[in-house]
Amino acid sequence: MSRLKRYSRFLLLPALLTLPLALLISSFLTFREFDEMKELYLRDRAAAVAARLETLTSEELQGDVVESLSAEEPSLVAVATDSAGGNLLTDPSAGAIRAGRELFSAGKIEVNGETLYRVYLPFHSGPELRVARIDLDAGAADYLLVHARHNLVIVALSGLALILFSGYLVWSMRRTARFERRQAELEHLARLGKLSAVLAHEIRNPLGTIKGFAQLAGEKASPEVSSLLEPAVAEVGRLENLVNRLLEYGRPREPSFRLVEWEEIASGLAVQVGAASPDGSIRFVQSGGLWQLRTDPDLLRQVLLNLVRNAAEALSGCGGGQIAVAAGRDEKGRFVIKIEDDGPGLPDSVRERLFEPFVTTKSTGTGLGLAIARKAVDSLGGRLELRDVKPHGTQAVLTFPNMDPKPSITEHAATWKQSS
């Protein structure tokens, strides 16, 4: 059923465009036919003038022919005649008709800014074959088609409007489909969070009991038995950490906002890097001003420690590097925190799914750290993004529009421009 639905989306746009495209093509072809009809009409009127010339005498042909024929043919502008062997009409078209190479010649010309329809054709004046050049007003046939042209314009505009409406309809349907998919994903994540919280709550108490008895047994047992129990205690500790992460994800803590100094929040970041790199292979650099913020310091500190820990673990796997933390106010007045490392960067395979629960690049990770961090940042009214750094590395950018950052010591805090 899903495959049929997917195919129907691909066929929807061609199906919707068939009618308006047919209307536009039909209008275009009809416009071309109108021009042909106008030319046929003008050619027919020229033939009627030629037929009328055959009824005139030689003396009348030498007079004002236009005046005598204008009552019968209002579109007549000029008439010139010549004998078959004459040379009054020096146009190449007249010469071709005299020589018998053409039966007639017709086309539009511009004379003094006026568009005329000029026709060369032979006619008989008594026993003599003569050539006439007849000029007609090229717009004489417009009155025949004016209403039809108006209708065609309406049809063409209707077709164009249908095309635009069809495009908007398809775009709206696809956007709705994306929104529905996103809503389904959010509902799935919400159910997963509730399930995680319930399971974690049910598992935590038995784990505590198991850990306590294992530790007690290790203390009272012989050294040989105690060494066997140490891995069990360590594994229980690892499970406790997973359970706590599940509880954090399933039941995030509500933030408690208060005024706090940025230095108070950032003070423990260097310690976290030192704990992850006892040999000093990871360098830590912190920059920014002295700021006073309105936020939940414990929740924000938890997010920053999580991101710094991720950066330190990425650098530990490649022999070390540098972690840089910068904080300050951008040109829009938002407080921005950047945590950047020069590690291997983000794998393409998981780049778009890093904030989903249980998605991780580490062999021993839970895949909940970034999901918990994004939830916490959202609850603080901010936005968390992960970006690539050239030539390699990762940058976590936290943007908080509503923290209302103020310099705590004016002379040491300057506005910080957010880099692209």
Side-chain angles (χ1 to χ4, degrees):
M1 185 66 181
S2 60
R3 181 179 297 179
L4 179 61
K5 187 176 181 180
R6 185 167 64 251
Y7 288 157
S8 65
R9 288 177 182 171
F10 285 112
L11 296 174
L12 179 61
L13 184 59
L16 290 174
L17 293 179
T18 300
L19 177 60
L21 283 176
L23 289 175
L24 287 178
I25 294 173
S26 176
S27 300
F28 175 74
L29 295 177
T30 304
F31 270 115
R32 292 184 59 183
E33 291 176 359
F34 279 174
D35 290 335
E36 294 175 0
M37 291 171 62
K38 286 176 58 177
E39 188 168 352
L40 288 174
Y41 171 80
L42 293 172
R43 197 180 300 167
D44 179 71
R45 300 317 305 158
V49 172
R52 184 69 178 84
L53 290 175
E54 293 186 345
T55 64
L56 301 179
T57 64
S58 299
E59 291 76 11
E60 290 174 327
L61 288 174
Q62 295 175 358
D64 191 350
V65 178
V66 175
E67 183 178 357
S68 62
L69 298 181
S70 59
E72 302 176 19
E73 186 54 59
S75 63
L76 184 63
V77 175
V79 175
T81 63
D82 197 1
S83 63
N87 56 6
L88 294 178
L89 298 179
T90 59
D91 309 67
S93 298
I97 293 175
R98 289 193 195 99
R101 295 193 301 272
E102 293 182 1
L103 293 177
F104 70 94
S105 176
K108 291 182 179 179
I109 62 168
E110 292 286 335
V111 177
N112 298 327
E114 183 181 3
T115 304
L116 302 178
Y117 188 76
R118 175 166 289 180
V119 182
Y120 293 91
L121 73 171
F123 71 98
H124 289 89
S125 178
E128 184 182 8
L129 182 66
R130 307 187 71 171
V131 177
R133 184 182 68 196
I134 303 172
D135 290 342
L136 301 174
D137 182 5
D142 287 345
Y143 79 95
L144 297 174
L145 306 173
V146 60
H147 296 296
R149 283 183 178 274
H150 289 167
N151 291 337
L152 272 181
V153 169
I154 294 173
V155 170
L157 292 177
S158 300
L160 183 60
L162 284 174
I163 289 177
L164 295 176
F165 176 75
S166 301
Y168 172 77
L169 180 62
V170 172
W171 173 82
S172 178
M173 292 178 64
R174 290 181 176 175
R175 184 180 180 185
T176 302
R178 287 195 298 268
F179 177 76
E180 291 175 351
R181 287 196 300 270
R182 180 58 181 165
Q183 285 295 106
E185 291 174 1
L186 292 176
E187 292 175 2
H188 172 71
L189 293 177
R191 289 193 296 269
L192 184 60
K194 292 179 181 178
L195 177 62
S196 300
V198 172
L199 288 176
H201 182 74
E202 293 298 326
I203 293 173
R204 184 167 58 175
N205 291 336
L207 275 180
T209 302
I210 294 171
K211 184 178 181 180
F213 277 109
Q215 289 174 333
L216 181 62
E219 292 173 0
K220 294 186 176 183
S222 63
E224 293 80 6
V225 176
S226 179
S227 63
L228 295 176
L229 291 174
E230 287 178 1
V233 174
E235 288 300 311
V236 171
R238 188 175 66 83
L239 289 176
E240 277 186 329
N241 180 57
L242 174 60
V243 168
N244 291 332
R245 287 300 185 95
L246 287 172
L247 284 173
E248 288 180 37
Y249 178 75
R251 295 177 182 174
R253 183 172 65 82
E254 288 295 323
S256 177
F257 294 95
R258 66 180 176 87
L259 289 176
V260 63
E261 299 290 332
W262 162 246
E263 288 296 325
E264 177 185 338
I265 298 173
S267 58
L269 299 181
V271 177
Q272 178 69 37
V273 175
S277 176
D279 59 353
S281 61
I282 301 177
R283 300 178 303 278
F284 181 76
V285 179
Q286 183 175 332
S287 62
L290 301 176
W291 298 96
Q292 190 178 63
L293 314 171
R294 183 170 186 80
T295 185
D296 184 326
D298 297 328
L299 200 55
L300 181 57
R301 186 183 297 110
Q302 175 190 349
V303 172
L304 296 178
L305 288 173
N306 193 351
L307 294 173
V308 168
R309 186 187 306 115
N310 285 348
E313 290 174 354
L315 291 174
S316 298
C318 61
Q322 176 175 291
I323 298 175
V325 176
R329 188 171 57 195
D330 68 2
E331 66 277 3
K332 296 182 180 179
R334 303 174 300 184
F335 194 70
V336 180
I337 306 170
K338 295 181 179 181
I339 301 173
E340 182 177 319
D341 65 72
D342 55 0
L346 299 173
D348 293 335
S349 57
V350 295
R351 187 190 308 275
E352 301 297 329
R353 303 175 56 233
L354 279 173
F355 291 107
E356 295 181 15
F358 308 112
V359 175
T360 181
T361 60
K362 305 175 222 174
S363 58
T364 59
T366 62
L368 290 171
L370 287 176
I372 294 171
R374 170 170 274 190
K375 271 194 170 186
V377 173
D378 289 345
S379 68
L380 293 174
R383 184 178 73 252
L384 171 60
E385 299 175 278
L386 291 181
R387 302 173 181 172
D388 282 331
V389 178
K390 301 299 182 184
H392 54 80
T394 304
Q395 184 184 73
V397 182
L398 297 87
T399 306
F400 298 95
N402 303 318
M403 272 193 178
D404 191 24
K406 293 182 175 62
S408 57
I409 302 177
T410 307
E411 59 268 24
H412 292 294
T415 299
W416 175 72
K417 297 293 184 181
Q418 180 180 6
S419 61
S420 57

